[in-house]
Amino acid sequence: MSGEGWVAVVGTGPAGPEWLTPETAGILEQATDLVGYGPYLDRVAAGHQRRHASDNREELARAGHALDLAAEGAKVAVVSGGDPGVFAMGAAVLEAVDRDTAGRWRDVEVTVHPGVSAMQAAAARLGAPLGADFCAISLSDNLKPLAVVERRVRLAAEAGLVMALYNPASRARPWQLGRVLEVLGEVHPPQTPVIFATAAGRGDQERLTVTTLAEADPARADMRTLVLVGIPATRVLQRPDGTLRVYTPRYYEEAE
Amino acid sequence: MSGEGWVAVVGTGPAGPEWLTPETAGILEQATDLVGYGPYLDRVAAGHQRRHASDNREELARAGHALDLAAEGAKVAVVSGGDPGVFAMGAAVLEAVDRDTAGRWRDVEVTVHPGVSAMQAAAARLGAPLGADFCAISLSDNLKPLAVVERRVRLAAEAGLVMALYNPASRARPWQLGRVLEVLGEVHPPQTPVIFATAAGRGDQERLTVTTLAEADPARADMRTLVLVGIPATRVLQRPDGTLRVYTPRYYEEAE
């Protein structure tokens, strides 16, 4: 990155520093300003950077603030949780640049840097449920009509994709996850594995539940939960120490 | 991890050490043995571990070898490129355990640890093309019939998912990527963005090509290439410095 102002969109990974990449650590060290949701900044702030904490909404406004700072010469790290390219600030910052018809941010260098996303951490804690073709679908409020969510989920299940459901606990549509699981139950058999992974990797906060489409209780999901839905080929193993491991075989099975 | 033998499945990330997590670095440091594809081991071997390099096939045999070593007391890191849970050794090691009816590996602790996957690196180098709902589909040889690949890709496109195509340069079916792009062209308009990302993040080896479904040339893909296919809402920006940025808006657009 040049000596002038820049915006680098980075991700902390879904938990502690053990999942934050060296590249991102280096960018945070160089940054003069950190912009992001407060709890994410708490994970990374070292003290020498100016903090610009916001709530977890208003992504475009936050992106514009970061770009304004950079246009004035600041070296700004926009901090997402997880991977900034997966349901996070990467797209929001580029959208702000795209809409900048006045050219205010024309000369601001914008880069995006990969991180570990929540679905990867959740999957790894239980094995490799995403080991075959898979998709990631956000149930976040207000981004798309429920009919679009339902159609998308149904087609993805018919395609035989394992599914990671982000933001399953919708504030505006609390019944949405229940409806999504119903749709999936119309495509897959009732014993298809479902995982509720809450605060994966965050020590004592972590809760991992392995269940089935027939038994899945949508009320288990809160704001820190990721829901993984397998395909019929997904396998659950009980290890002798009592722990469970879940994986989806890499190859296609006719039974699928 | 306990003092006895174990298998930890880790990933190097898709390029150099800047994308290798501290957690994985710590596991590699503790390991007595490294098992994996030679070029991945070259990225991480520190000298104090025994190396067990293999070619990039025979995943189940490699998993069994790692489990045998651990059953004898070794601390074994099974090393994948990228994220070991995404089209990599995580599922293969668990499948080997699952098939172990004789109980040889019954008491071997197996853990999987997340890493940055190739699609995340490729996406980040160009911005945030995976910024909305997306899927990852492997075109690897011999894992599924071409008819299944075609159906899966068609349904995923109809679902409006951005798509990351892993292993696009199939040895056994060199025409496969062309056929997949044809199928996508039957669903999406010809100007839909397509990215060929070869050796993303690997310095001088990196080649990034932004094109469209109409113009995409399957011959651009080699063994180190990941192909990202957008949706109609995916946007390509030309920055004043001549670089391109690609992103998919987080919200649903009716035009999609």
Side-chain angles (χ1 to χ4, degrees):
Chain A
M1 274 165 280
S2 74
E4 295 174 26
W6 43 254
V7 171
V9 193
V10 300
T12 63
E18 73 275 19
W19 288 335
L20 188 145
T21 68
E23 179 190 48
T24 293
I27 289 167
L28 292 167
E29 183 59 34
Q30 288 177 58
T32 58
D33 293 73
L34 305 182
V35 172
Y37 177 48
Y40 301 153
L41 299 189
D42 292 342
R43 287 187 196 159
V44 299
H48 68 277
Q49 311 105 333
R50 282 181 293 273
R51 280 170 57 110
H52 308 269
S54 59
D55 73 14
N56 205 11
R57 308 230 161 189
E58 294 298 331
E59 295 184 332
L60 265 186
R62 199 189 310 161
H65 183 46
L67 289 159
D68 277 342
L69 291 166
E72 291 159 10
K75 299 173 183 180
V76 185
V78 173
V79 181
S80 288
D83 181 324
V86 176
F87 307 126
M89 288 299 294
V93 171
L94 290 167
E95 184 183 336
V97 170
D98 194 12
R99 292 179 177 212
D100 172 33
T101 49
R104 278 186 296 169
W105 304 320
R106 197 179 171 278
D107 296 318
V108 175
E109 183 186 356
V110 176
T111 56
V112 181
H113 304 271
V116 173
S117 186
M119 67 181 164
Q120 297 171 288
R125 297 294 286 166
L126 281 160
L130 303 177
D133 297 344
F134 68 93
C135 64
I137 294 178
S138 173
L139 304 184
S140 186
D141 293 353
N142 305 324
L143 293 178
K144 49 189 177 271
L146 182 56
V148 171
V149 172
E150 286 188 22
R151 179 170 181 275
R152 193 163 279 186
V153 161
R154 184 184 301 277
L155 287 167
E158 288 173 351
L161 300 173
V162 179
M163 206 169 293
L165 299 171
Y166 279 73
N167 308 306
S170 166
R171 275 177 280 219
R173 301 190 293 232
W175 64 87
Q176 180 173 254
L177 176 60
R179 180 64 195 127
V180 163
L181 293 172
E182 263 176 36
V183 168
L184 291 170
E186 289 164 21
V187 180
H188 290 320
Q191 69 274 22
T192 303
V194 174
I195 295 165
F196 288 77
T198 299
R202 286 181 234 156
D204 290 348
Q205 292 179 61
E206 179 179 90
R207 278 188 296 117
L208 303 171
T209 303
V210 180
T211 179
T212 63
L213 266 179
E215 302 287 335
D217 174 8
R220 274 198 183 276
D222 67 24
M223 302 300 292
R224 302 163 303 152
T225 304
L226 194 87
V227 179
L228 301 177
V229 181
I231 56 175
T234 303
R235 300 267 303 162
V236 179
L237 311 183
Q238 171 122 35
R239 300 301 320 274
D241 64 2
T243 62
L244 296 176
R245 290 291 180 272
V246 184
Y247 77 99
T248 304
R250 302 148 296 147
Y251 48 81
Y252 178 77
E253 286 182 352
E254 213 46 65
E256 186 177 298
Chain B
M1 272 164 284
S2 72
E4 296 175 25
W6 43 255
V7 170
V9 193
V10 301
T12 62
E18 73 275 18
W19 287 336
L20 189 145
T21 68
E23 180 190 48
T24 293
I27 289 167
L28 291 168
E29 183 58 33
Q30 287 177 59
T32 57
D33 293 73
L34 305 181
V35 171
Y37 177 47
Y40 301 152
L41 299 190
D42 292 341
R43 287 187 195 158
V44 299
H48 67 278
Q49 310 105 333
R50 282 180 293 273
R51 280 172 57 111
H52 307 268
S54 59
D55 74 15
N56 205 11
R57 309 233 159 185
E58 293 299 330
E59 295 184 331
L60 265 187
R62 201 190 309 160
H65 182 47
L67 290 159
D68 277 340
L69 291 167
E72 291 158 10
K75 299 171 182 180
V76 185
V78 173
V79 182
S80 288
D83 181 325
V86 176
F87 307 126
M89 288 298 297
V93 171
L94 290 167
E95 185 185 335
V97 171
D98 195 11
R99 292 181 176 212
D100 172 35
T101 47
R104 278 185 296 169
W105 305 319
R106 195 176 172 280
D107 296 317
V108 175
E109 184 185 354
V110 175
T111 57
V112 181
H113 305 271
V116 173
S117 185
M119 67 181 164
Q120 296 170 288
R125 298 294 288 165
L126 281 160
L130 302 176
D133 297 343
F134 68 93
C135 64
I137 293 179
S138 173
L139 305 185
S140 186
D141 294 352
N142 306 324
L143 292 179
K144 49 188 176 272
L146 182 56
V148 172
V149 172
E150 287 188 24
R151 178 169 182 276
R152 192 163 281 185
V153 161
R154 183 184 301 277
L155 287 167
E158 287 173 353
L161 301 172
V162 179
M163 205 170 294
L165 299 171
Y166 279 72
N167 308 305
S170 166
R171 274 177 280 219
R173 303 190 292 230
W175 65 90
Q176 181 172 253
L177 177 60
R179 180 65 196 127
V180 163
L181 293 172
E182 262 177 34
V183 168
L184 291 169
E186 290 163 21
V187 180
H188 291 320
Q191 69 274 22
T192 303
V194 175
I195 294 165
F196 288 77
T198 300
R202 285 181 234 156
D204 291 347
Q205 292 180 61
E206 178 179 88
R207 278 187 296 118
L208 304 171
T209 303
V210 180
T211 180
T212 62
L213 265 180
E215 302 286 335
D217 175 7
R220 274 198 182 277
D222 68 26
M223 300 300 293
R224 301 163 307 151
T225 304
L226 195 85
V227 179
L228 301 177
V229 181
I231 56 175
T234 303
R235 299 267 303 160
V236 179
L237 310 183
Q238 172 121 36
R239 300 304 316 275
D241 64 2
T243 61
L244 296 175
R245 289 289 180 273
V246 185
Y247 77 99
T248 305
R250 302 147 296 147
Y251 47 81
Y252 178 75
E253 285 182 352
E254 213 47 64
E256 184 179 300

